[in-house]
Amino acid sequence: MDMKMVAKEDIEEGQDLTPPLSPLSYSLQNSFLSSADLSAAFRLLSLFQSPPSTCPQPRLFGLLTNRDKLLSSEEPDVLLKIRDGARELAKARGNFSDDVILEEALLCLVMTNAVDVQDKSGRSLGIAVYDKEFSWINHSCSPNACYRFLLFETNNTPALHYQPKMRIVPHGKIDVCSSSELAQGCERDDGPRIVVRSIKRIKKGEEVTVAYTDLLQPKEMRQAELWSKYQFVCCCRRCTASLPTYVDQLLEEISVSNMEFMNLSSDDNLLMDEADKKLNDYMDEAVTEYLSADDPESCCKKLENLLTQGLQVEKLESKAGNSQLNFRLHPLNRLSLNAYTTLASAYKVWSIDLLTLCSDTDGHHWEAFNMSRSSVAYSLLLAGATDHLFRSESSLIASAANFWANAGESLLTLARSSAWNLIVKSGLSASKFSLQKSKCCNCSLIDRLEVDSFIRQAQSAGLKNISNELLDCISNLTGKVWSSLIHGCLHLQVIKDPINFSWIDKSTNVSDFRTHSNKSCWTAEIISRKKSERYTNEERVNIFLLGVHCLFYGGHLASICYGEYSHLASHLQNVLYDEDNSIH
């Protein structure tokens, strides 16, 4: 029987389900073995009272090894990793025989149960394997829980003084008692600890689930990744829906224009698959070029061209002979979201490059300011787009929290930029843009509260009420600054509203979002126009207020996922009160 963890009482959203759990084994940074998986597997060997002399059970320490399934995998790389890794592991423990079944089982256990350990910035530090209290939590593409790591805290860390009780219990029976396998005194209390937290209401007896894969992927991609890594087919509510969910439909939506028919045949469906592959390849090429060649300008132009012009694919044997079909991404397609992420980063780097290379002329300061403005606009669009999906699939809350926080930080950086002094006559000093001196005339949420106290009060007020009030202000402020943020950027000009996407639902074809120019992403008009004609101190203040609201909203969502003492809440506090956080 498959094991699972269930709630032993009714649980509200935003509550810890476990105390901090120490890992059975972990591997951070480099080790003397060739991979983190092998290093973690080697650590597990020290936990045995005595290593089994016979073929191991399907479970070790109560955890599923998945050895038989992984060894029957059709992927050569997986088989090679297990075979070679087991031999290396055997040599490391002094086993030079051909019997490496135990080593294979331990390595497969790590591959099946390990989770990536990340630091506060989201950077991967290595992997860790946890005991059954965590490892028995199954996957869902619409999970009701998430988890966070506690990394090497000091005695002054608030999280250490708060010890929640275990609120979930195992459900099911197995033949192996994991505790009997452990050597005396080998229980670990070091390494990265993990805490499971609810992101939805959970009823007593309801199964607790987390995500094993990126939820901002359509069903086919999620299923392929889960099968490749864990050898199972997900049967969650989202995956078994008779029709694709609203979110999954948007994540893979592509529009086809110049077609002579309305319905696609089987051959045309193959053409759609070909187009999807080419769109993926185009995206990968642009991103790889940006990361490897350090060429943000080329990346921006390629991705803007993809978003505005689409992709041309030749269709053979149509009624009129060969024809060119145009494939366009929906603004909420997963590739569009990836493009927004990359463009926000690439425009920011492009701006920094301009200032570094040509810091002595006002013209380059102005152009760099425009690049920064586009970076901010794409960050805001990414946050709004993800939030729209989050409204239909609440398990996307962690992604929404991070993107709102990033958007808020970029807006504050832009508002505090000294470049405004070149654009607005009698410009305001950066010191004017602090939380203590800001006030929102439409809501009472941010004008008197610090981030930590806001988060505590917001938690008690409930997600829906706080979210709606903050989003109303965000939408109102966005309407005041969006045209300024996107001026001159061709693709962004077709995004009518980056927060409320109801305008998309009214369109039946993504080709409605077409622009009618083959120019580069930036027009000569925006580069040469007079700065004073477009921007005012009022817009700068509104950009700052918008950034503050985005940060508070991101902080509120993050408190649901990670708790009021999370690293993100602390980071937001620093950003809000950092008056020197500006571009020079």
Side-chain angles (χ1 to χ4, degrees):
M1 176 179 180
D2 291 337
M3 301 305 300
K4 62 183 179 180
M5 299 297 289
V6 300
K8 63 179 183 180
E9 60 191 24
D10 290 341
I11 300 170
E12 295 295 320
E13 64 185 6
Q15 295 187 7
D16 289 342
L17 305 182
T18 69
L21 304 173
S22 297
L24 282 174
S25 178
Y26 64 95
S27 176
L28 305 182
Q29 302 174 345
N30 297 325
S31 70
F32 69 95
L33 293 172
S34 61
S35 74
D37 288 346
L38 288 178
S39 181
F42 187 81
R43 282 175 175 264
L44 284 174
L45 280 169
S46 66
L47 300 183
F48 282 110
Q49 283 187 332
S50 59
S53 57
T54 59
C55 179
Q57 298 287 336
R59 293 180 182 269
L60 295 173
F61 312 109
L63 307 185
L64 188 68
T65 66
N66 237 7
R67 175 177 173 269
D68 291 342
K69 284 188 176 181
L70 289 172
L71 286 177
S72 62
S73 171
E74 297 179 356
E75 298 185 26
D77 291 345
V78 173
L79 295 175
L80 186 64
K81 178 179 179 178
I82 296 172
R83 298 297 190 193
D84 290 351
R87 284 192 288 269
E88 183 178 351
L89 188 59
K91 290 179 181 179
R93 63 182 288 251
N95 174 18
F96 297 95
S97 70
D98 293 331
D99 183 6
V100 292
I101 295 177
L102 175 61
E103 287 82 358
E104 289 177 350
L106 286 170
L107 184 54
C108 289
L109 181 152
V110 172
M111 293 169 62
T112 299
N113 294 279
V115 292
D116 290 328
V117 179
Q118 298 180 343
D119 63 10
K120 296 179 180 180
S121 65
R123 181 172 62 94
S124 179
L125 298 178
I127 62 171
V129 177
Y130 294 90
D131 208 346
K132 57 184 179 296
E133 289 86 357
F134 177 78
S135 294
W136 284 0
I137 300 177
N138 290 321
H139 163 82
S140 172
C141 296
S142 183
N144 53 22
C146 66
Y147 52 87
R148 70 180 187 274
F149 295 101
L150 302 179
L151 302 173
F152 315 115
E153 291 83 1
T154 66
N155 290 332
N156 294 324
T157 304
L160 282 177
H161 301 301
Y162 171 58
Q163 295 291 331
K165 63 180 181 178
M166 180 66 71
R167 305 177 69 183
I168 57 178
V169 294
H171 182 274
K173 295 181 179 179
I174 56 174
D175 297 329
V176 177
C177 179
S178 61
S179 61
S180 65
E181 298 170 347
L182 292 174
Q184 292 296 322
C186 282
E187 291 83 357
R188 296 189 179 276
D189 194 30
D190 62 341
R193 293 183 294 168
I194 199 168
V195 178
V196 182
R197 189 172 176 86
S198 64
I199 57 175
K200 300 176 183 176
R201 290 181 176 179
I202 307 175
K203 295 181 179 180
K204 180 179 179 179
E206 182 181 350
E207 182 177 6
V208 175
T209 56
V210 296
Y212 292 4
T213 187
D214 181 6
L215 300 180
L216 278 174
Q217 298 181 110
K219 174 183 174 180
E220 184 177 342
M221 294 186 67
R222 298 194 308 272
Q223 294 277 15
E225 182 176 337
L226 291 169
W227 179 258
S228 173
K229 192 170 183 179
Y230 304 107
Q231 298 290 301
F232 74 84
V233 176
C234 180
C235 297
C236 72
R237 172 190 60 81
R238 186 175 168 189
C239 288
T240 56
S242 57
L243 296 174
T245 64
Y246 176 72
V247 170
D248 282 338
Q249 183 179 356
L250 291 179
L251 287 173
E252 58 186 352
E253 184 73 18
I254 298 175
S255 169
V256 187
S257 59
N258 297 331
M259 298 189 71
E260 301 171 359
F261 44 83
M262 296 298 293
N263 297 318
L264 293 175
S265 66
S266 59
D267 290 341
D268 296 317
N269 285 327
L270 292 176
L271 188 64
M272 290 291 287
D273 292 339
E274 178 189 353
D276 185 73
K277 183 179 184 304
K278 288 186 175 181
L279 287 165
N280 271 290
D281 292 344
Y282 188 96
M283 271 285 302
D284 290 343
E285 179 184 343
V287 173
T288 300
E289 182 178 327
Y290 165 50
L291 296 176
S292 60
D294 193 22
D295 188 357
E297 181 176 0
S298 174
C299 175
C300 289
K301 290 179 178 179
K302 285 184 176 181
L303 293 185
E304 291 272 5
N305 183 69
L306 176 65
L307 293 173
T308 56
Q309 305 301 322
L311 180 71
Q312 299 291 332
V313 176
E314 184 176 80
K315 181 181 186 300
L316 301 176
E317 299 178 0
S318 65
K319 294 180 180 178
N322 295 354
S323 63
Q324 289 288 330
L325 303 181
N326 183 258
F327 292 84
R328 294 181 182 276
L329 296 172
H330 190 283
L332 298 176
N333 183 287
R334 61 181 173 81
L335 290 178
S336 296
L337 301 182
N338 292 342
Y340 305 155
T341 304
T342 305
L343 285 165
S345 172
Y347 271 123
K348 182 178 180 179
V349 172
W350 189 358
S351 170
I352 294 172
D353 288 349
L354 284 170
L355 292 177
T356 302
L357 297 174
C358 310
S359 59
D360 56 342
T361 62
D362 287 354
H364 285 105
H365 273 281
W366 169 240
E367 188 175 357
F369 178 80
N370 284 329
M371 301 302 108
S372 298
R373 187 163 46 81
S374 271
S375 172
V376 170
Y378 274 111
S379 291
L380 183 60
L381 174 58
L382 178 62
T386 307
D387 194 79
H388 180 79
L389 300 175
F390 160 60
R391 293 290 149 186
S392 294
E393 178 50 71
S394 60
S395 59
L396 298 175
I397 186 171
S399 296
N402 288 319
F403 291 144
W404 278 117
N406 291 339
E409 186 172 356
S410 64
L411 284 159
L412 259 63
T413 300
L414 182 65
R416 290 166 170 164
S417 170
S418 58
W420 285 90
N421 296 330
L422 302 173
I423 301 168
V424 181
K425 293 181 179 179
S426 302
L428 301 174
S429 66
S431 63
K432 298 290 185 181
F433 297 93
S434 64
L435 187 61
Q436 294 91 335
K437 298 177 181 179
S438 65
K439 186 172 183 179
C440 177
C441 59
N442 294 320
C443 75
S444 60
L445 295 174
I446 69 169
D447 59 352
R448 66 184 186 279
L449 296 173
E450 293 185 353
V451 175
D452 53 355
S453 61
F454 165 78
I455 287 176
R456 286 194 294 271
Q457 294 186 35
Q459 282 183 306
S460 63
L463 174 63
K464 187 174 182 180
N465 292 338
I466 294 294
S467 297
N468 289 340
E469 191 165 354
L470 282 170
L471 278 175
D472 284 345
C473 285
I474 288 173
S475 182
N476 179 55
L477 289 165
T478 299
K480 296 179 180 179
V481 303
W482 182 244
S483 61
S484 297
L485 290 175
I486 68 173
H487 187 75
C489 193
L490 293 176
H491 172 67
L492 288 174
Q493 288 179 348
V494 304
I495 304 296
K496 299 176 183 178
D497 187 338
I499 308 301
N500 183 353
F501 283 84
S502 59
W503 57 276
I504 288 182
D505 296 334
K506 297 176 181 178
S507 303
T508 57
N509 198 316
V510 183
S511 60
D512 294 342
F513 311 133
R514 180 182 307 180
T515 56
H516 304 286
S517 174
N518 290 317
K519 297 179 183 178
S520 65
C521 52
W522 276 94
T523 63
E525 181 257 345
I526 187 59
I527 300 298
S528 62
R529 62 186 302 279
K530 294 180 180 180
K531 296 86 173 174
S532 59
E533 292 178 358
R534 187 74 187 174
Y535 301 102
T536 64
N537 283 325
E538 181 181 0
E539 286 178 311
R540 187 180 183 186
V541 170
N542 285 331
I543 287 173
F544 176 78
L545 284 174
L546 176 57
V548 171
H549 280 80
C550 290
L551 282 172
F552 271 88
Y553 183 40
H556 173 51
L557 297 182
S559 72
I560 302 296
C561 302
Y562 311 119
E564 61 183 277
Y565 297 113
S566 71
H567 65 274
L568 186 53
S570 176
H571 175 68
L572 298 186
Q573 183 90 2
N574 294 333
V575 171
L576 280 166
Y577 289 96
D578 179 12
E579 298 181 7
D580 295 324
N581 184 23
S582 59
I583 308 170
H584 300 288

